[in-house]
Amino acid sequence: MGVFRAAAIQMRSGESPERNAADFERLVREAALRGATYIQTPEMTGALIRDKQARAASFTSEDKDIIVSAARMLAKELGVFVHVGSTAILRADGKLANRALLFGPDGGTIATYDKIHMFDVDLDNGESWRESAAYEPGTEAVVADLDGTKLGLAVCYDLRFPQLFRAEAMAGAEVLSVPAAFTRQTGEAHWHVLLRARAIENGAYVVAAAQGGLHEDGRETYGHSLIVDPWGRVIAEAAHDEPAVIVAEIDPGQSSAARKKIPNLRNARDFTVSSGVDAAPLLRGAAS
């Protein structure tokens, strides 16, 4: 769609989908008033709930979800692309998906993406997470069309798997999305450097809407929503953990320019790994 304005919405989602939906609507409207035609929200826009029983009682199917309904309505009313960074969706098999959803200016669904990489980690100071205990991982990377601009979809912990973003860039993505709920501990250590690295490696913009602050369920997230250009420069940041809207201009031509200067996508080669085993795997440059 040529040059356009993108917004990343920073939230502090609580345990009530209804309250979160009201905050979501207010912030999306603010982003549209500031000229954004692509508006991204963070991971788990609908609710952040640690308790298993409360989570089961709050989440529902896509056709009944309050955030999905609000996103469709706002996209159509405002004539913008609304990207719900993710929300918990009850699948037909009874399992939960950590699902991103992209809606077009007509209110229709352009694409959905289920988070592939589950955040199963043990951090310092006793902080431990097992996302796979609550959610079923996705199996398919997705590149969606924003009226001629290609958008690669990802969610939070996916950021630590560069092969996903490389595959999306090789499929034409000029903008990469990383809506997230990064913990404060990991965010302080790695958030900025990983987002800038994914932009530089792929010659692509990165838009990363984040959760921030102390949430009702006790977790603490880092905030610092970012928009990074294809040369790795931060062009917009919410330099705190409070709810906010950041906006920046996206020029897909800058992605092409960066890739011409450093044509690493084109220069990628297949290779093997010599590890002393009989059958060394063949790796592709696009996924290594």
Side-chain angles (χ1 to χ4, degrees):
M1 69 179 150
V3 179
F4 63 96
R5 290 176 70 79
I9 289 176
Q10 189 157 289
M11 296 180 67
R12 186 176 295 160
S13 295
E15 296 180 337
S16 167
E18 291 75 20
R19 289 200 308 271
N20 297 330
D23 291 341
F24 164 78
E25 180 173 348
R26 173 177 56 82
L27 291 165
V28 168
R29 290 187 183 280
E30 179 183 338
L33 282 173
R34 293 176 59 182
T37 55
Y38 164 77
I39 302 169
Q40 181 192 119
T41 69
E43 180 183 29
M44 287 298 152
T45 292
L48 280 167
I49 305 174
R50 191 177 298 197
D51 181 78
K52 183 177 181 180
Q53 289 184 333
R55 189 167 55 231
S58 295
F59 297 143
T60 186
S61 58
E62 190 174 312
D63 62 322
K64 298 177 181 177
D65 185 80
I66 188 172
I67 295 294
V68 171
S69 297
R72 288 189 189 281
M73 178 271 292
L74 289 165
K76 186 172 184 178
E77 176 188 336
L78 301 172
V80 299
F81 293 91
V82 175
H83 178 180
V84 177
S86 88
T87 198
I89 295 295
L90 184 63
R91 306 188 332 171
D93 62 5
K95 299 177 181 179
L96 286 175
N98 187 344
R99 181 168 296 169
L101 304 103
L102 178 65
F103 301 97
D106 62 354
T109 303
I110 294 175
T112 64
Y113 164 77
D114 289 353
K115 184 177 180 180
I116 292 173
H117 300 98
M118 298 288 97
F119 190 54
D120 291 354
V121 302
D122 296 301
L123 303 174
D124 293 338
N125 303 319
E127 188 174 359
S128 183
W129 299 94
R130 290 292 180 272
E131 189 175 15
S132 63
Y135 298 95
E136 186 73 10
T139 59
E140 184 177 27
V142 175
V143 174
D145 184 70
L146 296 178
D147 196 17
T149 297
K150 298 296 185 182
L151 173 73
L153 301 182
V155 176
C156 199
Y157 189 50
D158 285 332
L159 177 59
R160 295 183 182 274
F161 299 85
Q163 63 271 29
L164 172 63
F165 299 90
R166 175 54 55 86
E168 292 180 344
M170 294 293 284
E174 301 137 313
V175 181
L176 302 170
S177 64
V178 193
F182 250 59
T183 68
R184 179 167 297 281
Q185 185 176 169
T186 58
E188 288 175 345
H190 301 144
W191 178 245
H192 287 76
V193 68
L194 286 173
L195 289 169
R196 294 184 66 202
R198 297 297 88 85
I200 294 165
E201 291 164 350
N202 297 295
Y205 285 91
V206 172
V207 182
Q211 296 280 357
L214 181 62
H215 299 263
E216 286 180 328
D217 71 350
R219 81 185 73 200
E220 191 171 8
T221 54
Y222 183 58
H224 290 263
S225 297
L226 290 181
I227 302 177
V228 185
D229 79 2
W231 204 245
R233 294 171 291 219
V234 175
I235 56 176
E237 177 177 4
H240 51 73
D241 64 10
E242 296 294 324
V245 175
I246 60 171
V247 179
E249 185 174 276
I250 304 295
D251 179 1
Q254 292 302 311
S255 176
S256 298
R259 291 170 179 177
K260 287 178 181 177
K261 292 174 184 176
I262 303 179
N264 59 313
L265 300 183
R266 188 171 69 244
N267 291 344
R269 293 172 57 84
D270 295 344
F271 57 92
T272 60
V273 176
S274 178
S275 60
V277 298
D278 292 335
L282 174 67
L283 302 180
R284 301 196 64 83
S288 60

